[in-house]
Amino acid sequence: GLGRGATLRLTVRVDEAQAPAAEAGAASIAGARVLVVDDHVVNRRAIELVLQTFGVEPTLAESGERALELLGAGAFDVVLMDVYMPGLGGRETPRVLRAEPGPNRGVPVIAVTASSTPKDWDACRAAGMNAHVAKPIDPAQLHAALVEVLPAPPARTAAA
C-alpha cells in the first residue's frame, strides 16, 4: 500500500581528497541555491549528499514540471538537470524556462547525463544548458562545473 515502498540504502563515500572546497584558495560554493532535478530518488539523494559536503543544501525536484514550479517561485543560483526524464525532459525544461520571463530565466543549468557523447552535449547546449557532468557523479567534476557557472561569491552573499 501507500507509504510502504522499497527501502533504499545509499552509501556515498566522499574522501577528503575528493572535497576540493577544503583546499586553500579553492572557490567555495557553500550556500549556493542549487535545484537538483532527477526522476530517480537514488540519483537525487546521491547528488544531495555530494552537495552537502560542499556546504550546499539543495532543493530537490522529481520532474521537469516540478522544477519549473520551483523555478517560478524563487531564485536559484544553479540547476542540476537530469537529461533523460519522463514527461518534460532535461532538454525541454530549460527551453521552457528560457522562453518565459521569471526569476530564473538566466540561471545556469548543468546537464547531468550518463551519455556524454559530443552530439549529446551539443544538443544540451542548444537547449540552453551551460555545462555538463557525467553520471555516475564524480564530486570533483561536479564541484568544478558548479564553480565554472556560479557567480563569484561576493555577488551571491549580497543577494542573499
Side-chain angles (χ1 to χ4, degrees):
L2 210 60
R4 283 208 309 279
T7 302
L8 300 167
R9 175 164 302 166
L10 181 69
T11 310
V12 178
R13 282 195 45 236
V14 182
D15 301 322
E16 282 305 313
Q18 283 183 303
E23 290 167 22
S28 171
I29 56 171
R33 295 163 298 185
V34 179
L35 177 62
V36 175
V37 189
D38 196 301
D39 58 311
H40 292 288
V41 65
V42 174
N43 294 344
R44 289 198 300 275
R45 183 75 184 119
I47 295 173
E48 179 181 32
L49 289 170
V50 173
L51 288 171
Q52 284 170 344
T53 68
F54 303 152
V56 171
E57 282 298 335
T59 302
L60 308 178
E62 69 289 344
S63 66
E65 292 84 351
R66 178 72 184 129
L68 290 172
E69 278 174 31
L70 289 162
L71 288 162
F76 285 91
D77 295 309
V78 64
V79 180
L80 290 170
M81 180 78 66
D82 180 25
V83 174
Y84 297 102
M85 295 184 289
L88 200 59
R91 287 210 205 84
E92 292 75 43
T93 307
R95 281 200 184 97
V96 175
L97 178 69
R98 304 283 190 231
E100 299 290 322
N104 295 293
R105 187 175 191 174
V107 72
V109 176
I110 298 175
V112 181
T113 176
S115 166
S116 51
T117 65
K119 188 167 128 294
D120 258 16
W121 173 226
D122 288 341
C124 288
R125 224 185 347 242
M129 292 172 157
N130 306 80
H132 70 295
V133 292
K135 283 181 183 176
I137 293 290
D138 169 9
Q141 191 195 19
L142 177 60
H143 188 272
L146 288 166
V147 169
E148 180 192 329
V149 302
L150 281 168
R156 261 211 323 277
T157 321

